[in-house]
């Protein structure tokens, strides 16, 4: 049965709502005036390390961080 | 598949009407009576234990809808990092739903509205507070409580007009030169958000 609901353009392009919402939020944050922009960007910084596991042992971790050089 | 549709629909309708007396309640409805035969047979088997509880017994009952329309709308406006408005009583809010600017008064029909990038205004007496909302949802409940959630919401004064213009020009150009569907979608989102911010600042 073909879907009769009109899908939003971003879903038709394969994007999920969360991705869409996060892109919108990032665009708004980038257009803020100075003290607020710095606050917003520092609030949204992420820093995490992922390791895949194989044979019961963790492999080399991948570090993803917004603070370079850490 | 569609050939069978009318037969299946009529079959389920008649089945529902004939079995309506023994129809099972939805699991989300709280049980109105405790089944005493179950409790007694449970007590025979396990006399020292309380009958098992179900998740619904831990839930608070859904707040009842007042019989007369309340005079104020109670607004909860939350962001991931802050609770902007918490149980605040206001006269009206205007939310930027995807179907257009929607005015919400006390006694509004229960609605779930997806929000598009735009201005949300909270009206309390003569005060009007405006926020630019990046996207989110608004849940309007039957008891005149409005839960509005957004990922990012900023007062209009905090937006820098020159960056908005620059962003709009950038993304319009990207939209023209985009090749894959995903690039086009991202550029389109950029154009929409920046146009909304532009309109918010000038309107």
């Amino acid at each position: 049965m073909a879907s009769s609901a009109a899908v939003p353009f971003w879903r038709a392009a394969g994007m999920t709502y969360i991705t869409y919402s996060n892109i919108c939020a990032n665009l708004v944050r980038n257009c803020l005036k100075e003290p607020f922009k710095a606050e917003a960007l520092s609030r949204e910084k992420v820093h995490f390390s992922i390791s895949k596991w194989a044979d019961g042992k963790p492999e080399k971790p991948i570090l993803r961080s917004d603070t370079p050089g850490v | 598949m569609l050939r069978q549709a009318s037969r299946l629909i009529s079959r389920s309708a008649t089945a529902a009407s004939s079995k309506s007396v023994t129809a099972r309640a939805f699991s989300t409805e709280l049980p109105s009576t405790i089944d005493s035969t179950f409790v007694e047979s449970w007590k025979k088997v396990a006399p020292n234990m309380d009958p098992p509880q179900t998740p619904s017994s831990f839930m608070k009952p859904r707040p009842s809808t007042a019989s007369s329309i309340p005079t104020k709308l109670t607004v909860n406006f939350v962001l991931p990092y802050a609770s902007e408005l918490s149980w605040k009583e206001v006269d009206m809010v205007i939310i930027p739903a995807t179907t257009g600017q929607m005015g919400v008064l006390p006694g509004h029909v229960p609605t779930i509205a997806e929000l598009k990038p735009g201005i949300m205004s909270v009206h309390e007496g003569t005060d009007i507070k405006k926020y630019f909302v990046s996207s989110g949802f608004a849940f309007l409940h039957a008891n005149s409580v409005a839960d509005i959630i957004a990922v990012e919401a900023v007062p209009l004064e905090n937006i820098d007009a020159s960056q908005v213009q620059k962003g709009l020009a950038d993304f319009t150009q990207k939209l023209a030169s985009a090749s894959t569907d995903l690039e086009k979608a991202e550029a389109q989102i950029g154009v929409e958000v920046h146009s909304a911010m532009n309109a918010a600042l000038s309107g």
Side-chain angles (χ1 to χ4, degrees), chain B residues 26-54:
Chain B
F26 291 116
S27 59
T28 48
E29 285 172 8
L30 298 172
S32 49
T33 54
I34 299 177
D35 187 353
S36 51
T37 49
F38 172 77
V39 172
E40 277 158 26
S41 42
W42 173 262
K43 285 210 162 83
K44 285 199 196 100
V45 177
N48 295 325
M49 274 172 69
D50 290 328
Q53 296 213 21
T54 54

Side-chain angles (χ1 to χ4, degrees), chain A residues 8-26:
Chain A
F9 64 90
W10 38 267
R11 195 173 282 285
M15 204 188 282
T16 61
Y17 179 80
I18 301 183
T19 318
Y20 164 71
S21 190
N22 285 335
I23 292 179
C24 290
N26 277 320

Side-chain angles (χ1 to χ4, degrees), chain B residues 23-159:
Chain B
R24 287 170 55 186
F26 291 116
S27 59
T28 48
E29 285 172 8
L30 298 172
S32 49
T33 54
I34 299 177
D35 187 353
S36 51
T37 49
F38 172 77
V39 172
E40 277 158 26
S41 42
W42 173 262
K43 285 210 162 83
K44 285 199 196 100
V45 177
N48 295 325
M49 274 172 69
D50 290 328
Q53 296 213 21
T54 54
S56 36
S57 63
F58 293 102
M59 277 169 55
K60 285 192 244 167
R62 190 196 290 266
S64 55
T65 312
S67 49
S68 66
I69 297 178
T71 47
K72 294 279 209 188
L73 183 67
T74 313
V75 176
N76 287 319
F77 179 32
V78 292
L79 305 171
Y81 52 87
S83 183
E84 196 62 44
L85 298 173
S86 180
W87 296 98
K88 186 153 193 285
E89 303 221 326
V90 299
D91 297 322
M92 171 171 79
V93 292
I94 302 186
I95 57 177
T98 46
T99 51
Q101 296 286 111
M102 185 192 288
V104 182
L105 293 164
H108 197 281
V109 162
T111 311
I112 300 180
E114 184 191 337
L115 305 180
K116 67 180 180 208
I119 304 181
M120 188 186 94
S121 46
V122 179
H123 299 242
E124 170 62 28
T126 48
D127 293 329
I128 307 183
K129 225 161 144 203
K130 291 193 181 176
Y131 302 90
F132 184 84
V133 166
S134 70
S135 63
F137 284 92
F139 299 89
L140 311 173
H141 301 286
N143 55 353
S144 292
V145 170
D147 293 322
I148 305 174
I149 61 173
V151 179
E152 194 64 59
V154 296
L156 295 179
E157 307 82 60
N158 296 5
I159 304 181

Side-chain angles (χ1 to χ4, degrees), chain A residues 1 8-10 12-15 17 19-34 36-37 40 43-44, chain B residues 1-2 81 114 117 132 134-137 151-152 154 157-160 163 171 181-182 185-186 188-190 192-194 197:
Chain A
M1 264 197 286
F9 64 90
W10 38 267
M15 204 188 282
Y17 179 80
T19 318
Y20 164 71
S21 190
N22 285 335
I23 292 179
C24 290
N26 277 320
L27 294 172
V28 171
R29 273 181 223 126
N30 284 332
C31 288
L32 293 176
K33 286 185 183 153
E34 224 354 273
F36 307 107
K37 185 170 180 177
R43 182 177 61 220
E44 296 294 323
Chain B
M1 187 182 359
L2 288 175
Y81 52 87
E114 184 191 337
F132 184 84
S134 70
S135 63
F137 284 92
V151 179
E152 194 64 59
V154 296
E157 307 82 60
N158 296 5
I159 304 181
D160 187 349
Q163 292 189 49
F171 279 100
D181 261 350
L182 193 56
E186 285 179 6
Q188 178 78 26
I189 297 173
E192 277 184 16
V193 175
H194 284 97
M197 280 198 276

Side-chain angles (χ1 to χ4, degrees), chain B residues 158-173:
Chain B
N158 296 5
I159 304 181
D160 187 349
S162 57
Q163 292 189 49
V164 174
Q165 300 286 15
K166 181 165 164 302
L168 185 53
D170 273 346
F171 279 100
T172 322
Q173 200 256 327

